[in-house]
Amino acid sequence: MCGIVGAIAQRNVVPMLVDGLKRLEYRGYDSAGVAVLNNGVRRVRRVGRVAEMEAAANAENLTGFVGIGHTRWATHGGVTEPNAHPHISADELAVVHNGIIENHDEQRDRLKKLGYKFDSQTDTEVVAHLIHYYHRQGADLLTSVQKAVRELVGAYAIAVVSLKNPDILIVARVGCPLLIGLGEGENFVASDVSAVLSATRRVIYLEEGDVAALTREQVRIFDHDGKTVERKINVSDVSLASLELGPYSHFMQKEIHEQPRALADTLEAVMDNGIMPELFGADAADVFKKIEGVQILACGTSYYASSVARYWLESIAKVPCNVEIASEYRYRDFVPNPKNLIVTISQSGETLDTMEALKRAKELGHEHTLSICNVQESAIPRASKLVFHTRAGAEIGVASTKAFTTQLVALFVLTLTLAKLKGRLSAKDEAMHIDALRHLPGSVQHALNLEPQISAWSERFAQKEHALFLGRGIHYPIALEGALKLKEISYIHAEAYPAGELKHGPLALVDNNMPVVVIAPNDTLLEKVKSNMQEVRARGGELYVFADLDSHFHDSEDVHVIRTPRHVGVLSPIVHAIPVQLLAYHAALARGTDVDKPRNLAKSVTVE
């Protein structure tokens, strides 16, 4: 969600702050601002895009050698300039903050009694005044931050600068990601590595409870007990090219078309070495042999990928599998089985609900944990015993596409690995599945070639306000994903149902103004799906059918058919994910919405 960037250097840091904020735009935001130290705390904030804030900063000739910047996604208080970050206390200290301070009301009342006035509705202004309170008592900036954060309840990543200590930048984190970028005679801070790549690839990921002090020449890190610690220096392999649009109109379009390459890259180790537990970590064989079942925790698109995997795990590996929305898992009573494998799935590796669900699972005695994630060194993989990194590359568009399909292949590889270890995968079947995986990128490319036909459909969809998606069996989660994509970026209200549920309620909605999208592959449930389609036609509904090349469907006035490649067996959900992504993208284009930055949403959901 919100984005942080900061720098301390021997050069003007404003261009770097602005560039970093632009690279954080994909996370989702509604306002932006920067503050620098230069004969006072100079600040520029604007509601809207970073470009508007940049123009204002240029108009004011904003310069400085130390500064912080922020993109805000509103939680406490509306989308207004007074609520935008950075927040300033007593004209001498500036703060940016990601996360939510749960005890902000209590702290606000206390600080008002101490004489502080509040100019915003945010919880962040509490942080600024609280640090300043200790600062004015005589503590240096580092000590002031350390004292203040001990009194904060909630999740936060913060960066602080002060006129009293103008040669230092202080940062702290609990529950929200934050990293330090190491330069030559300059250092940086950001919530995402993309924000510092133009300056450095050497980064340190701060651990839970860390507070760090950055000068131009040095970085000191302290743990939650205030003890000096060393953290690993990582060299990021994210390329700047992956963060650029290239010949595409939108990042979502680019990422949809990158899926054959992303799938091939994710499967590279499987193609080279076959199905082996070491793909998930050195201890994976021992862990997998001990487990009795699988519990998957995820949110949004990752939850739908998990729902597909449940079919694979139970039908191929014969392993019981339960899939739960991470935000629900945290707050209900259930009977834990410590012999289950806890699988957490997150594109960013910093999804707060998923991270907290993993913590909850550990509290309940679950030691066997596996993370499937697209971002190396992010919080969730670091907290997991085993890790499988998808190799989708940077995903900028808010609506996930290539992360979804690479999560699916990762889960399929997990399925085959468990089946093999438990003696339920013959050598013949293993070879068959590997061959299917080898041909999967090509099948996905064939599905991408359907884009002109799908684009033509989108013109009709753009005129609608509601849509219904239907699927059966393993393709029902793809219907859910299709409905999610459509409403995320086109703002067309869409719902998905198992096709057999039509007569149990949704059929009441069907008329000639409600397009019905059907996922209809040539599998064992095809005839059942055809019967459900007849129920729609009998009520005057208009059908849009994604079928396989070898399915026997015919176009008519109220039935429109697009045929994906020949049926690819159990991997069919991955291929059928492509057309629903393209339908959402082109419907959004036709409606003129902001495809990559849909309203009210954020790429990285780091608040509850």
Side-chain angles (χ1 to χ4, degrees), residues 189-201:
V189 61
S191 48
D192 187 311
V193 71
S194 62
V196 299
L197 280 179
S198 61
T200 182
R201 292 187 175 278

Side-chain angles (χ1 to χ4, degrees), residues 470-475 499-500 518-534 545-554 561 563 567 572 576:
L470 303 177
R472 294 202 76 147
I474 199 169
H475 292 88
V518 185
I519 315 298
N522 189 20
D523 60 12
T524 57
L525 292 172
L526 180 59
E527 294 306 316
K528 297 291 185 184
V529 173
K530 287 182 177 179
S531 296
N532 301 137
M533 290 169 55
Q534 291 303 321
V545 185
F546 290 117
D548 287 335
L549 193 61
D550 43 5
S551 296
H552 300 291
F553 283 99
H554 301 285
V561 182
R563 291 175 174 81
H567 188 55
S572 175
H576 277 271

Side-chain angles (χ1 to χ4, degrees), residues 245 248-259 396-401 485 488-489 580-582 584-586 588 595-596:
L245 265 176
Y248 297 96
S249 300
H250 300 91
F251 280 106
M252 184 178 181
Q253 181 190 33
K254 175 178 184 265
E255 289 153 14
I256 288 172
H257 283 271
E258 286 176 338
Q259 286 175 107
I396 306 300
V398 166
S400 181
T401 52
K485 285 291 162 284
E488 274 185 312
I489 61 170
V580 298
Q581 293 172 356
L582 289 169
Y585 172 72
H586 284 285
V595 174
D596 288 334

Side-chain angles (χ1 to χ4, degrees), residues 224-245:
H224 61 89
D225 294 322
K227 297 178 181 177
T228 303
V229 292
E230 297 289 333
R231 299 296 185 211
K232 178 184 175 185
I233 298 175
N234 302 271
V235 179
S236 175
D237 62 357
V238 177
S239 70
L240 279 173
S242 69
L243 305 176
E244 305 295 341
L245 265 176

Side-chain angles (χ1 to χ4, degrees), residues 315-390:
S315 65
I316 297 173
K318 308 299 180 186
V319 173
C321 177
N322 186 43
V323 179
E324 190 149 2
I325 296 172
S327 58
E328 292 296 312
Y329 176 86
R330 296 172 58 187
Y331 296 114
R332 75 173 184 88
D333 293 326
F334 48 86
V335 181
N337 180 357
K339 293 185 178 179
N340 278 352
L341 176 68
I342 299 293
V343 181
T344 48
I345 306 178
S346 168
Q347 189 282 138
S348 66
E350 59 185 51
T351 308
L352 183 64
D353 285 319
T354 306
M355 184 71 217
E356 292 300 318
L358 176 58
K359 290 180 183 177
R360 174 71 171 144
K362 288 181 174 181
E363 290 169 358
L364 294 169
H366 288 285
E367 297 180 356
H368 309 316
T369 57
L370 164 66
S371 164
I372 294 175
C373 182
N374 191 43
V375 180
Q376 295 191 32
E377 296 297 332
S378 53
I380 294 174
R382 292 204 309 270
S384 304
K385 188 169 186 178
L386 305 175
V387 178
F388 187 101
H389 283 114
T390 55

